[in-house]
Amino acid sequence: MITTEAFEWINDDRRRFFGAAAFAIAAVEFGMIGSADAEVGTAKSTELPTTKPGTHTSFAPLKQVDAGLLNVGYAEAGPADGPPVVLLHGWPYDIYSYVDVAPALAAAGYHVIVPYARGYGTTRFLSNETLRNGQPSALAVDTVALMDALKIEKATIAGYDWGGRSADIVAALWPERCKALVSVSGYLISSQEAGKAPLPPKAELQWWYQYYFATERGRAGYDKYRRDFAKLIWRLASPKWDFDDATFDRSAAAFDNPDHVAIVIHNYRWRLGLAEGEPQYDELEKRLAAAPAISVPTITLEGDNNGAPHPEASAYASKFRGSYEHRLVKGGVGHNLPQEAPQAFAEAIVDIAQS
C-alpha cells in the first residue's frame, strides 16, 4: 500500500497541475516506479472504420432513464445485443467528447452508452432534497446505478478526467461489473486526506481555480462565466487542439444544467476538506483511500501534448495488476483525448475488450 503522501501525487487534479518531472521525482522517492509496457503510436485493431476528429457533430436523439438518485440523459449507439461499452466524460467537457468514438464502436458491433454525469446536460436529480454531491465515489456509484437500470451486468468502461476517475473506481471496487478499462492518464484514484497536504508554491499557483472555487466569489464567478471558464481550460489543457466555436458551443450547452455549478464547486471543496460528503459513501471513500489496485485488463492512454501536467506512465503502472498496456497518442493530442484522437481511443477499447 502506498503512503498517503505518495497517494496525493496520483490525484487527477494534482496531475493536472504537476509537471511530469516533478511527479517522476515524487514517484521515485515513494517507490512507485514500476515497469510499463512500451509506448506505441499505432493500434492493433483492424475492424474499426477510420475516424477523423470532427467527422460527426451529433448523436441520435438522447434517451432518459431513472438510475439511482438520478434521471440520466445518455446517448446510445450500436446493436443492443453487442458487447456493452460505457464512456464517461470529464470536466469541463461533456458527452460530445465521444461524438466520433461512439459511431466507430457502433460500426464495429459494440453497444455504446455515453451518459451525462450528474450536473451536466439532461441528467437531473430525482429529488430536490438530495445533496448536490460531487465527491468521486458518488459519481462512480452513478455509473453502476446506470448499468443496473439498463440491465448491463458487465461492460468495458472508459473515461478521462473525472470520467477516468469514475472508470478507475468502478474497476477497483466492482471488478465484477467491469470487463476491461481504458483510462486516460492512468490511475486517478485519490482521497480527501491526501488533498489536504500542501504542495510547493509553484504547484499551488497552478491550482488557482480550486482555491477560487473555495470562495463564494469563485462560486459566483464560475456561475456567471462558466462558458468563458470552460473555454480557458480547454485551451490550456489542449494547446494544439484547434476547436471551433460550434464544437465548443455543443458541449457548453451541458453546463446550463441547474445543478452544474453546485456539483463542480462541491467536488473541489470536498477534495480540500472544505465540504462534507454524505455518510452513505464513507465506506467507499475509506476503501479508495487505501489506493486499491486494479485487476481488470487495462489500457492507459496519454496524449503527447497534454497541457494538463500529468505523471509518467511508469509512476502508476504498478497499480494495474492484470493485463496492462500503456499507449502514447502522438500528433499534438491534448487532455480531451477521445475528441482529439477518436481513432486511437476507439482502437484501445476494441483491443482491450477483445483481450
Side-chain angles (χ1 to χ4, degrees), residues 10 72 180 201 262 273 308:
I10 303 175
V72 179

mmCIF file of all heavy atoms in Angstrom, residues 10 72 180 201 262 273 308:
data_model
loop_
_atom_site.group_PDB
_atom_site.id
_atom_site.type_symbol
_atom_site.label_atom_id
_atom_site.label_comp_id
_atom_site.label_asym_id
_atom_site.label_seq_id
_atom_site.Cartn_x
_atom_site.Cartn_y
_atom_site.Cartn_z
ATOM 1 N N ILE A 10 -1.151 11.074 -7.198
ATOM 2 C CA ILE A 10 -1.933 10.377 -8.206
ATOM 3 C C ILE A 10 -3.271 11.064 -8.441
ATOM 4 O O ILE A 10 -3.943 10.810 -9.419
ATOM 5 C CB ILE A 10 -2.142 8.902 -7.792
ATOM 6 C CG1 ILE A 10 -0.783 8.259 -7.572
ATOM 7 C CG2 ILE A 10 -2.908 8.131 -8.838
ATOM 8 C CD1 ILE A 10 -0.856 6.856 -7.052
ATOM 9 N N VAL A 72 -31.075 9.988 -15.741
ATOM 10 C CA VAL A 72 -29.845 10.161 -16.512
ATOM 11 C C VAL A 72 -30.147 10.339 -17.987
ATOM 12 O O VAL A 72 -30.875 9.541 -18.593
ATOM 13 C CB VAL A 72 -28.904 8.950 -16.320
ATOM 14 C CG1 VAL A 72 -27.627 9.116 -17.149
ATOM 15 C CG2 VAL A 72 -28.554 8.774 -14.845
ATOM 16 N N ALA A 180 -13.290 -4.606 -18.826
ATOM 17 C CA ALA A 180 -11.987 -4.050 -19.169
ATOM 18 C C ALA A 180 -12.065 -2.540 -18.985
ATOM 19 O O ALA A 180 -13.149 -1.959 -18.895
ATOM 20 C CB ALA A 180 -11.598 -4.414 -20.599
ATOM 21 N N PRO A 201 5.077 25.929 -3.719
ATOM 22 C CA PRO A 201 4.373 27.118 -4.198
ATOM 23 C C PRO A 201 4.060 27.115 -5.688
ATOM 24 O O PRO A 201 2.977 27.547 -6.099
ATOM 25 C CB PRO A 201 5.330 28.256 -3.833
ATOM 26 C CG PRO A 201 6.063 27.743 -2.639
ATOM 27 C CD PRO A 201 6.239 26.273 -2.868
ATOM 28 N N ALA A 262 -23.232 23.729 -8.630
ATOM 29 C CA ALA A 262 -23.211 23.111 -7.302
ATOM 30 C C ALA A 262 -22.352 21.853 -7.278
ATOM 31 O O ALA A 262 -21.579 21.632 -6.331
ATOM 32 C CB ALA A 262 -24.634 22.784 -6.861
ATOM 33 N N GLY A 273 -11.317 19.229 1.771
ATOM 34 C CA GLY A 273 -11.878 19.074 3.111
ATOM 35 C C GLY A 273 -12.713 20.260 3.538
ATOM 36 O O GLY A 273 -12.975 20.439 4.735
ATOM 37 N N ALA A 308 -2.390 19.699 -19.502
ATOM 38 C CA ALA A 308 -2.614 19.468 -18.084
ATOM 39 C C ALA A 308 -1.478 18.575 -17.594
ATOM 40 O O ALA A 308 -1.388 17.423 -17.998
ATOM 41 C CB ALA A 308 -3.960 18.789 -17.860
#
